[in-house]
Amino acid sequence: SLLLEPSRTQLIPQTEYFEGDWSNTRSSLNFGYTSPQGTDNAYKLISDNTASSSHILVSDSFTISASTDYTGSIFVKGDEINWVALMLTDTSVSDKAQAWFNLSNGTKGSTEEGGSATISDYDIEDYGNGWYRIYIVADLGGDTTAVQRLYLAEGDEDSSFDGNGTDGLYIYGAQVEQGSYPTSYIPNHSGGSVTRSADDPAQLDVTSLTSTYSTLYVEFEVSSTTHQGKIALSDNSQNNRMTIYQNSNDLMMLLNAGGSGQTSITASNILSVATNFKVAVKNQNGSHALFINGIKIGEESSTTPTGLNKLRFGNELNSYAGQKFLGDIKQTLLFPTALSDAQCSALTVEG
């Protein structure tokens, strides 16, 4: 599949070298375990033998913007210990956002907010071979300096226990980024921050598939429902286009012919993050139609656009940097004909 992501900055220095800029409290680290990458570069975080105490790993501090969402994440794998808590907090642990996770079955536990911190999302994602990526999305209020803390835990909301000097779990690849959802892991082996550029796949020339009438099919997941993004079949302008348009959580079909906008078709409040959608749009003699997950959303009368020979996961204009599609493109098909309604419904049925 084609994963399209926005630019993000990794704020944590030394995201894999936990013996570097990180600090341990009543815990220790052993190196050389198999990470989600398949190489022996993961650590084991081990409790010391202090009784009735927390056992913690803390990142170096980093700068944030006040009253802004940040997403903290880390890869974890259970061993003797199968509960863990992830926290974003100011350096004094006053404004704190914390969530617990069960690594024995890959489920979320409880959350805790302290001070002016608020949590808008948290989750656990299965990466195979016992590894999970856990994340929390939080706003720390007026704070401009923060850290990420990882707590070994005995159970949900139970991060204080009797350590024995041997029990622990595996960790790899921490991340903190500004935004309301996690993006793919950005390694950082320096003492500063690292920025990944936004994905911008090249415009595709589909002249060989150009016909008077067309059907465009795309299977995808969106990564945000506050974004505006396009998947556009056009003549490299907005004069002639057939566009799948995400407007926050609405999904629309836009059609222009000879510079004249045709009636758009809208499926309101349909999109959600990490949900699979199969979408087909078609133009045919005198009309255009939108299909989503086996359902015909609508059909409108229209004039037929011409010269639709460019496909882009973004704005119809190749020179325009905005309105990039953000999410996971799983399959794209372009048919040089208008499929029947029955064919479009069958093509977009989930399963």
Side-chain angles (χ1 to χ4, degrees):
S1 63
L2 177 63
L3 180 62
L4 303 176
E5 296 185 304
S7 175
R8 287 286 177 90
T9 297
Q10 165 71 275
L11 298 178
I12 291 182
Q14 303 293 351
T15 59
E16 298 171 17
Y17 182 48
F18 297 109
E19 294 174 285
D21 293 329
W22 295 69
S23 60
N24 302 79
T25 302
R26 295 177 293 276
S27 65
S28 62
L29 290 161
N30 282 342
F31 179 72
Y33 302 91
T34 304
S35 74
Q37 288 185 328
T39 56
D40 294 336
N41 59 346
Y43 280 85
K44 186 173 184 180
L45 178 63
I46 301 168
S47 66
D48 73 358
N49 56 11
T50 305
S52 302
S53 297
S54 56
H55 308 270
I56 317 167
L57 181 66
V58 185
S59 76
D60 197 6
S61 62
F62 46 85
T63 300
I64 61 173
S65 297
S67 303
T68 302
D69 276 343
Y70 284 84
T71 300
S73 62
I74 190 169
F75 294 90
V76 287
K77 179 179 178 179
D79 195 15
E80 300 91 359
I81 292 177
N82 282 289
W83 276 89
V84 66
L86 181 64
M87 178 188 291
L88 286 177
T89 178
D90 63 351
T91 53
S92 65
V93 199
S94 299
D95 299 323
K96 60 182 180 180
Q98 182 173 203
W100 281 262
F101 302 89
N102 186 343
L103 306 182
S104 63
N105 58 16
T107 57
K108 299 188 294 184
S110 301
T111 62
E112 178 188 22
E113 298 172 341
S116 59
T118 56
I119 298 170
S120 57
D121 192 20
Y122 72 111
D123 211 346
I124 180 169
E125 301 172 341
D126 191 345
Y127 272 71
N129 196 31
W131 281 99
Y132 294 94
R133 192 186 191 193
I134 58 175
Y135 72 85
I136 184 170
V137 182
D139 179 340
L140 300 185
D143 295 296
T144 56
T145 304
V147 296
Q148 179 161 280
R149 298 165 70 98
L150 189 72
Y151 290 75
L152 300 176
E154 275 197 331
D156 194 19
E157 298 186 271
D158 185 6
S159 300
S160 180
F161 61 94
D162 297 340
N164 60 11
T166 58
D167 289 356
L169 51 76
Y170 304 104
I171 58 173
Y172 173 79
Q175 183 155 306
V176 173
E177 57 193 304
Q178 182 179 325
S180 59
Y181 60 92
T183 62
S184 58
Y185 173 56
I186 305 169
N188 185 3
H189 305 296
S190 71
S193 60
V194 173
T195 298
R196 180 190 59 228
S197 299
D199 295 316
D200 190 11
Q203 185 184 69
L204 300 176
D205 189 321
V206 292
T207 302
S208 63
L209 294 174
T210 298
S211 178
T212 303
Y213 307 121
S214 303
T215 302
L216 175 62
Y217 165 82
V218 186
E219 180 181 359
F220 61 83
E221 295 180 5
V222 297
S223 56
S224 171
T225 54
T226 59
H227 177 70
Q228 292 181 331
K230 293 179 176 180
I231 303 170
L233 180 65
S234 74
D235 63 352
N236 198 30
S237 78
Q238 293 184 343
N239 293 328
N240 291 281
R241 65 173 177 176
M242 183 170 67
T243 299
I244 297 171
Y245 176 45
Q246 177 196 356
N247 184 19
S248 297
N249 58 0
D250 294 345
L251 193 65
M252 305 172 66
M253 178 186 180
L254 307 179
L255 194 79
N256 281 49
S260 176
Q262 310 297 300
T263 303
S264 61
I265 303 172
T266 302
S268 299
N269 301 316
I270 194 171
L271 294 176
S272 56
V273 172
T275 301
N276 200 65
F277 291 92
K278 295 182 176 182
V279 177
V281 293
K282 67 171 180 173
N283 71 82
Q284 55 193 358
N285 187 19
S287 68
H288 58 284
L290 168 66
F291 297 78
I292 302 176
N293 292 350
I295 299 173
K296 185 177 182 180
I297 303 301
E299 182 174 349
E300 296 288 346
S301 299
S302 60
T303 302
T304 301
T306 59
L308 304 184
N309 59 3
K310 298 293 189 294
L311 178 62
R312 187 164 187 256
F313 297 97
N315 189 273
E316 296 85 356
L317 303 175
N318 193 40
S319 60
Y320 184 70
Q323 297 179 320
K324 295 174 182 177
F325 180 86
L326 299 180
D328 187 2
I329 302 288
K330 299 180 179 180
Q331 187 178 35
T332 303
L333 301 172
L334 177 60
F335 300 89
T337 186
L339 300 181
S340 68
D341 284 4
Q343 288 172 321
C344 288
S345 295
L347 184 64
T348 58
V349 167
E350 277 293 274

